[in-house]
């Protein structure tokens, strides 16, 4: 019951503070016939990027706290903020962008908002992308981890559902929307599998396509993202950046691992484990980044 009700909480909070929200994945995707009905573990909402902070503040006032572990200004912006409430057994993920869409985040939201539909969840009509927009969100979510068997299964299921329910006009619209959202190349495996026409292929900026390919490489995507981000930093920022990468604050360590015992020794061990993992993943991460330059 928590997840549908939490959708209603976010919808009401957004309406009260005049923030536009589109619910993605979860029960809306199930109601649209794009994936099998199942129990979700969190609420995913794509929020108007210009006003995400307004909604985040309203939810914080209701006890939903943003516990994002990484707060350094040297880290590249994350695509979502995770809010938790001590009395609710689920999380809220507020996205201002979605990985794989490389058009400007505000433009992406406006495109999807213009095409929005509504689905009943917890006896409330909530806004979500239309079937084409939702299908692209689900496809990119699966394609972010192509080496995960569960994500491969999700993509195969989605391909089957779209392939049997989208006619030629709908497939052309799907391909055109992917191009408008900057996903013609990132969503290409999905678009090809469902028989959508090749609209806008090869138009993704080289740096964006490199970032996507690094994200979907096998191995440790976290280490790769740190190395790629370091490469973008001016040399004068490297010492601060490397120190932060190796030595997160105690608060950030505890958010990343809530089970961490409340002792200095436990914190030290966590930092040493993190450093060892990072050093172990570093050579492969450097090779991945160099291989895509």
């Amino acid at each position: 019951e928590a997840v549908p009700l939490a959708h209603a909480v976010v919808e009401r909070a957004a309406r009260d503070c005049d923030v536009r929200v589109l619910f993605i994945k979860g029960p809306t995707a199930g109601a649209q016939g794009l994936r099998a009905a199942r129990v979700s573990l969190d609420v995913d909402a794509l929020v108007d990027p210009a006003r995400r902070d307004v909604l985040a503040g309203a939810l914080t006032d209701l006890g939903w706290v943003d516990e994002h572990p990484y707060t350094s200004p040297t880290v590249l912006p994350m695509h979502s903020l995770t809010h938790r409430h001590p009395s609710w057994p689920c999380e809220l993920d507020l996205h201002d962008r979605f990985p794989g869409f490389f058009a400007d985040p505000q433009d992406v939201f406006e495109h999807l908002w213009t095409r929005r539909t509504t689905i009943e969840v917890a006896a409330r009509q909530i806004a979500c992308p239309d079937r084409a927009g939702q299908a692209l969100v689900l496809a990119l979510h699966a394609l972010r981890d192509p080496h995960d068997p569960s994500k491969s299964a999700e993509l195969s299921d989605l391909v089957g559902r779209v392939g049997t329910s989208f006619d030629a006009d709908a497939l052309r619209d799907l391909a055109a929307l992917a191009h408008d959202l900057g996903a013609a190349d990132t969503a290409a495996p999905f678009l090809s599998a469902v028989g959508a026409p090749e609209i806008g292929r090869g138009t993704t900026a080289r740096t964006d396509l490199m970032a996507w390919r690094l994200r979907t490489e096998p191995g440790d995507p976290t280490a790769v993202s740190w190395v790629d981000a370091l490469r973008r930093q001016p040399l004068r920022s490297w010492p601060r950046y490397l120190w932060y990468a190796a030595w997160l604050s105690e608060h950030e360590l505890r958010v990343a691992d809530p089970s961490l015992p409340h002792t200095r020794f436990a914190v030290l061990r966590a930092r040493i484990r993190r450093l060892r993992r990072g050093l172990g993943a570093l050579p492969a991460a450097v090779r991945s980044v160099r291989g895509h330059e």
Side-chain angles (χ1 to χ4, degrees), residues 181-261:
L181 301 182
D185 294 304
T186 54
F190 163 70
L191 296 170
S192 297
V194 299
E198 294 188 6
I199 298 176
R201 300 285 178 88
T203 58
T204 306
R206 180 177 177 274
T207 53
D208 291 337
L209 201 55
M210 176 182 172
W212 178 254
R213 287 172 176 166
L214 288 174
R215 175 63 183 83
T216 59
E217 284 284 326
D220 189 332
T222 301
V224 169
S225 67
W226 280 99
V227 172
D228 185 42
L230 176 65
R231 188 177 60 89
R232 301 167 190 265
Q233 302 290 323
L235 285 176
R236 66 179 181 275
S237 299
W238 279 35
R240 181 187 178 202
Y241 183 90
L242 289 170
W243 174 258
Y244 177 76
W247 210 260
L248 293 184
S249 70
E250 181 176 345
H251 169 72
E252 291 167 329
L253 288 171
R254 292 192 182 283
V255 171
D257 181 8
S259 65
L260 191 65

Side-chain angles (χ1 to χ4, degrees), residues 5-290:
L5 289 172
H7 279 74
V9 169
V10 176
E11 189 276 335
R12 174 61 184 269
R15 183 158 53 88
D16 286 350
C17 59
D18 193 26
V19 177
R20 295 175 296 165
V21 171
L22 293 168
F23 291 92
I24 55 178
K25 302 188 289 181
T28 57
Q32 290 174 304
L34 293 172
R35 76 178 195 182
R38 66 189 191 199
V39 176
S40 298
L41 301 178
D42 56 14
V43 175
D44 284 286
L46 183 63
V47 186
D48 177 355
R51 293 180 59 78
R52 182 176 65 167
D53 289 346
V54 176
L55 178 58
L59 290 168
T60 298
D61 290 341
L62 295 174
W64 292 89
V65 179
D66 172 17
E67 295 183 338
H68 198 284
Y70 302 110
T71 58
S72 169
T74 63
V75 179
L76 297 177
M78 302 297 289
H79 66 274
S80 68
L81 302 177
T82 299
H83 290 246
R84 299 180 177 88
H85 192 293
S87 299
W88 287 69
C90 62
E91 301 174 346
L92 310 180
D93 286 336
L94 304 185
H95 302 253
D96 69 350
R97 68 198 70 200
F98 198 82
F101 291 137
F102 282 109
D104 178 80
Q106 191 69 50
D107 291 341
V108 169
F109 183 85
E110 299 298 345
H111 267 95
L112 293 175
W113 181 259
T114 300
R115 301 166 56 107
R116 71 188 182 281
T117 187
T118 59
I119 297 293
E120 183 175 304
V121 176
R124 297 181 73 87
Q125 292 294 322
I126 65 172
C128 63
D130 67 355
R131 293 190 80 227
Q134 189 81 268
L136 287 172
V137 168
L138 294 174
L140 291 173
H141 178 64
L143 288 167
R144 282 172 58 197
D145 298 295
H147 307 282
D148 181 339
S150 66
K151 292 296 188 294
S152 297
E154 288 179 8
L155 185 62
S156 295
D157 180 67
L158 179 65
V159 167
R161 292 171 184 271
V162 170
T164 57
S165 62
F166 280 46
D167 60 18
D169 289 339
L171 289 174
R172 175 166 291 277
D173 176 63
L174 177 70
L177 179 61
H179 175 45
D180 290 340
L181 301 182
D185 294 304
T186 54
F190 163 70
L191 296 170
S192 297
V194 299
E198 294 188 6
I199 298 176
R201 300 285 178 88
T203 58
T204 306
R206 180 177 177 274
T207 53
D208 291 337
L209 201 55
M210 176 182 172
W212 178 254
R213 287 172 176 166
L214 288 174
R215 175 63 183 83
T216 59
E217 284 284 326
D220 189 332
T222 301
V224 169
S225 67
W226 280 99
V227 172
D228 185 42
L230 176 65
R231 188 177 60 89
R232 301 167 190 265
Q233 302 290 323
L235 285 176
R236 66 179 181 275
S237 299
W238 279 35
R240 181 187 178 202
Y241 183 90
L242 289 170
W243 174 258
Y244 177 76
W247 210 260
L248 293 184
S249 70
E250 181 176 345
H251 169 72
E252 291 167 329
L253 288 171
R254 292 192 182 283
V255 171
D257 181 8
S259 65
L260 191 65
H262 290 274
T263 66
R264 290 183 180 180
F265 182 64
V267 171
L268 178 61
R269 289 185 61 186
R271 284 180 172 145
I272 293 173
R273 287 196 301 269
R274 174 183 171 80
L275 189 58
R276 284 175 176 169
R277 287 197 303 270
L279 291 175
L282 186 60
V286 170
R287 286 195 298 270
S288 292
V289 172
R290 286 180 173 175

